[in-house]
């Protein structure tokens, strides 16, 4: 069975919108595009490399898909990101979209009308793990339907106040276990959590 891994850059207040550049996602007037860039350091870079070192298929919402499809196929062979571009261009992209006819990036596949049903089927098959990038609305659906096996979070020491959030109000209650955690020189907390089971409660005797 495949694992479904949600990988995300998040601010301290849970925003994941527009991490890579000023024009990446300006929807709803978001003014802080590129907020991760000042914190980039070698630990951050190594964590990205490790994330993509294992076989994976990309799992994308339509908005993130359009951003990626407009960028990665156009990266030149002598660019610093050429290796990542080759990787993203080559892997299978599973896309939640109402416009399947316009998926023109190579190796792109629409998930169909029943996105959650299609993902349950994909997870039950053999193959590479399913890895999200961005795709906040889709990720919230995954959390609401209890499909997430692993959270790979890079939490940046910044409050943004507004923007698209990673966690919605309808996420299913579940416990995760912290597997690894490292703090980069600029203060990025890189944490990997795996699903552990149902939420348990207790009391400190304050009832």
């Amino acid at each position: 069975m495949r694992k479904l891994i949600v990988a995300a850059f998040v601010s301290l207040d849970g925003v994941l919108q527009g991490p890579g550049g000023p024009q990446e996602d300006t929807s709803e007037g978001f003014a802080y595009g590129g907020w991760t860039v000042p914190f980039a350091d070698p630990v951050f870079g190594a964590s990205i490399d490790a994330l993509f070192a294992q076989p994976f298929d990309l799992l994308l919402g339509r908005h993130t898909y359009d951003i990626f499809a407009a960028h990665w196929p156009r990266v030149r062979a002598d660019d610093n990101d050429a290796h990542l571009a080759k990787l993203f261009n080559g892997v299978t992209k599973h896309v939640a979209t109402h416009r399947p006819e316009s998926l023109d990036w190579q190796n792109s596949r629409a998930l169909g009308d029943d996105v959650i049903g299609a993902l349950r089927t994909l997870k039950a098959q053999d193959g590479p793990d399913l890895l999200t990038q961005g795709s906040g609305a889709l990720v919230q659906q995954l959390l609401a339907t209890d499909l997430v096996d692993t959270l790979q979070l890079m939490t940046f020491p910044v409050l943004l106040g507004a923007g698209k959030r990673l966690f919605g109000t309808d996420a299913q209650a579940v416990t995760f276990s912290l597997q690894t955690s490292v703090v980069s020189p600029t203060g990025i907390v890189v944490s990997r959590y795996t699903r552990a089971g149902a939420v348990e409660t207790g009391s400190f005797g304050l009832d």
Side-chain angles (χ1 to χ4, degrees):
M1 292 182 64
R2 309 190 198 206
K3 299 294 185 183
L4 196 157
I5 303 168
V6 168
F9 302 151
V10 293
S11 66
L12 290 174
D13 49 346
V15 174
L16 50 60
Q17 185 171 353
Q23 301 305 314
E24 182 177 5
D25 182 0
T26 59
S27 59
E28 301 179 11
F30 187 69
Y32 298 109
W35 51 272
T36 66
V37 176
F39 298 98
D41 60 27
V43 171
F44 169 77
S47 298
I48 295 294
D49 290 343
L51 177 65
F52 299 131
Q54 300 301 316
F56 65 92
D57 286 353
L58 280 174
L59 176 57
L60 303 172
R62 185 59 201 242
H63 188 69
T64 298
Y65 173 86
D66 287 341
I67 293 171
F68 279 22
H71 175 72
W72 292 112
R74 293 168 174 78
V75 173
R76 301 187 313 180
D78 59 351
D79 192 279
N80 289 336
D81 290 332
H83 172 72
L84 189 56
K86 181 179 180 180
L87 185 62
F88 277 10
N89 291 331
V91 300
T92 299
K93 277 75 71 174
H94 302 281
V95 189
T97 180
H98 296 298
R99 296 177 283 118
E101 72 283 353
S102 59
L103 297 180
D104 53 6
W105 190 12
Q106 66 190 73
N107 303 321
S108 297
R109 301 176 182 177
L111 289 167
D113 293 334
D114 182 7
V115 170
I116 299 305
L119 288 174
R120 292 191 193 281
T121 299
L122 282 172
K123 285 191 65 178
Q125 298 172 351
D126 292 330
D129 288 338
L130 302 167
L131 177 67
T132 71
Q133 292 286 281
S135 308
L138 175 60
V139 168
Q140 290 191 3
Q141 291 184 55
L142 303 178
L143 292 165
T145 51
D146 210 19
L147 284 176
V148 177
D149 299 296
T150 301
L151 293 169
Q152 176 85 27
L153 304 182
M154 294 188 181
T155 305
F156 289 72
V158 59
L159 291 172
L160 298 175
K164 298 173 184 176
R165 256 64 176 187
L166 174 62
F167 298 107
T169 59
D170 57 352
Q172 292 292 304
V174 62
T175 297
F176 283 84
S177 176
L178 179 63
Q179 299 299 303
T180 60
S181 182
V182 62
V183 181
S184 83
T186 59
I188 306 166
V189 181
V190 183
S191 304
R192 186 176 182 90
Y193 301 87
T194 58
R195 184 186 179 86
V199 174
E200 299 180 2
T201 64
S203 172
F204 288 115
L206 302 177
D207 295 342

